[in-house]
Amino acid sequence: MPYPTPTKTRPSRKGLRCFTVVFCFILIVIPINAICLAESPTRTVVDTFGRPVVIPKQIDRVLSTYPPITNIVYMLAPKKLLGWNFKPDGLYMPAQYAELPVVGGGGSVSR
């Protein structure tokens, strides 16, 4: 039994239409997505009183006014600590952190 000879076929209109839709989608969505995903260096949050506050996305320095949180910041990210709200004894810490300024806060009362 002889094999049928191949005939020249052109792409179906349905396949061409699908390709065109996908191609246009890619041309439109990818640039819009790139614009929308562009990172802003700041972030807006709402404080307790409902006011919008703009803060940087990357926090480089931290100052706590609550002694337990100050200790946690020292333990997790000592290079970000700006100062102490109490005078640390400095026995078990490097001098660069023990000598940070004491700025007061929740643990100290001055009269």
Side-chain angles (χ1 to χ4, degrees), residues 1-2 16 24 50 53 57 66 87 89 95 104 106 111:
M1 176 172 221
L16 187 60
C24 289
V53 180
K57 277 195 177 179
Y66 186 56
K87 181 66 179 155
D89 58 11
R111 294 188 180 204

Side-chain angles (χ1 to χ4, degrees), residues 3 8 27 41 67 69 71 94 105 111:
Y3 292 105
K8 205 169 198 182
L27 284 180
I69 300 299
N71 285 329
R111 294 188 180 204

